[in-house]
Amino acid sequence: MRNDDLEVFVRVADSHNFSAAARELQITPKAVSQRIARLEAALGTTLFERNTRNLRITDEGREIAERARLALSVLDELKEIALGGSEELTGNIRLTAPAPFGRKYVAAAITEFSRLHPRVGFDLRLSDQVQDLYSGDFDLAIRMGELADSRLIARRVADNRRILVASPSFIEAQGHPLRLEDLAGLNCLMFAYPGLLQNTWPLRKGRCEKPVTINGTFCSDNGEVLREWCVAGLGISLRETWDVYDELRSGRLVRVLPEWEGVASKISLVRARRETVPRRLTAFSDFLVAQWQQAPWDA
């Protein structure tokens, strides 16, 4: 059994597709097929059921994939131990993050970290779906808000502030609201998806918290859409400061009722519980905390 065969197998198990795994590994689909066949022969079991349209991992394959991820992780840690006192960090970090935040800030942070540690590679996957760090092929994840899974180790890297914003054209047409009660008479942009409509905004001024019921003719399940609608002058929005930082600086958006903010949550870097943690993961975690201690989007 070869380590590179195990790595190919895990990639195929995660992507459910030979061609997708080949693209990620920068090898040919034929080479992927050959390595899977070689691994199946070494293990004496079928890992995937194949036909012309579908690829399905077998029950045995699913169990082997879980253990293969652990084995590859342990081998990675052994390489670090073998380096002894070397200060140079090596290896890959598999990271997942929410798509808009990842594009705006995580990618830039990785660029800066890579200048300091050029032998550390990254596999960054951006998704608005919460990825499972136990069954998925990830070392770390950026998460917003409170964590539902108590098995995860979380480290706060920044605060997630939310503020009320509108476009200058909207303010010119509708006027500046002077009190929270004024929001009820203005068009507000609401986050919604089947089974959820966020028509109440929990707002805070100092120690005073007050939920405000809002109304509006526009709703979406995508924050980037809400931001663009807000820029277009369609209504007032409660947006994360990291999401509207550029628009505020350029003047395309202005703050509304600036003494009031949404109740802040956390931006956390999370990982699965492990006996040992590779130095590159600890170093990257320390780096993000230092970079975002004074969040650039709140400057």
Side-chain angles (χ1 to χ4, degrees):
M1 208 184 321
R2 294 170 48 167
N3 294 345
D4 54 347
D5 291 347
L6 283 177
E7 183 178 354
V8 169
F9 165 56
V10 168
R11 291 292 181 120
V12 175
D14 290 338
S15 63
H16 309 289
N17 186 285
F18 276 28
S19 296
R23 287 192 297 270
E24 292 176 12
L25 294 165
Q26 298 183 333
I27 59 177
T28 65
K30 182 179 180 180
V32 170
S33 181
Q34 290 172 339
R35 293 188 184 186
I36 295 298
R38 185 166 61 197
L39 185 59
E40 287 179 326
L43 293 171
T45 190
T46 300
L47 300 173
F48 299 100
E49 294 177 354
R50 312 163 178 83
N51 58 42
T52 56
R53 293 188 176 183
N54 297 310
L55 179 72
R56 190 184 74 84
I57 192 168
T58 63
D59 291 342
E60 293 80 9
R62 191 172 292 105
E63 291 186 20
I64 291 169
E66 292 180 7
R67 288 160 176 77
R69 290 188 187 94
L70 178 60
L72 291 170
S73 177
V74 170
L75 288 172
D76 215 14
E77 290 165 9
L78 290 177
K79 291 177 185 177
E80 283 203 356
I81 294 172
L83 290 173
S86 173
E87 292 298 319
E88 189 172 19
L89 299 178
T90 62
N92 292 317
I93 296 177
R94 298 170 294 273
L95 174 67
T96 178
F101 185 76
R103 285 192 294 268
K104 283 176 174 281
Y105 297 103
V106 179
I110 287 174
T111 300
E112 292 300 316
F113 184 83
S114 296
R115 291 193 178 106
L116 299 173
H117 306 285
R119 293 190 63 190
V120 176
F122 280 85
D123 183 350
L124 175 63
R125 303 302 175 93
L126 302 181
S127 173
D128 290 326
Q129 302 296 318
V130 175
Q131 303 296 316
D132 187 344
L133 294 187
Y134 284 92
S135 61
D137 190 25
F138 295 107
D139 299 307
L140 300 168
I142 299 288
R143 296 275 170 84
M144 305 283 183
E146 298 302 318
L147 301 180
D149 191 342
S150 61
R151 298 175 300 167
L152 299 174
I153 302 294
R155 185 176 183 185
R156 188 187 73 78
V157 292
D159 288 325
N160 191 27
R161 294 174 53 215
R162 302 171 74 206
I163 59 176
L164 296 164
V165 292
S167 70
S169 62
F170 181 87
I171 296 300
E172 183 178 354
Q174 303 295 327
H176 257 294
L178 301 177
R179 304 171 302 157
L180 284 185
E181 292 75 15
D182 295 340
L183 293 177
L186 296 171
N187 202 50
C188 293
L189 307 175
M190 295 181 285
F191 183 84
Y193 58 81
L196 173 69
L197 175 64
Q198 289 187 349
N199 61 344
T200 300
W201 287 342
L203 299 175
R204 170 183 290 172
K205 180 173 67 172
R207 296 184 179 181
C208 175
E209 289 187 21
K210 188 172 183 179
V212 178
T213 301
I214 58 170
N215 300 287
T217 54
F218 294 89
C219 62
S220 175
D221 64 351
N222 185 282
E224 291 176 294
V225 169
L226 294 175
R227 184 191 67 232
E228 291 308 307
W229 282 347
C230 192
V231 170
L234 298 184
I236 296 173
S237 187
L238 181 63
R239 301 302 311 143
E240 291 84 355
T241 53
W242 60 260
D243 187 42
V244 295
Y245 175 72
D246 291 335
E247 287 74 16
L248 289 171
R249 289 193 67 190
S250 67
R252 294 200 297 158
L253 290 176
V254 295
R255 290 194 64 174
V256 173
L257 296 169
E259 69 275 17
W260 290 92
E261 293 192 6
V263 176
S265 59
K266 291 186 264 188
I267 300 175
S268 301
L269 186 65
V270 303
R271 61 174 176 81
R273 293 180 184 273
R274 303 173 63 178
E275 290 296 326
T276 58
V277 180
R279 284 193 303 133
R280 62 182 175 277
L281 300 189
T282 303
F284 183 63
S285 177
D286 292 342
F287 175 81
L288 281 189
V289 170
Q291 284 284 100
W292 295 345
Q293 185 175 22
Q294 298 294 328
W297 52 86
D298 285 334

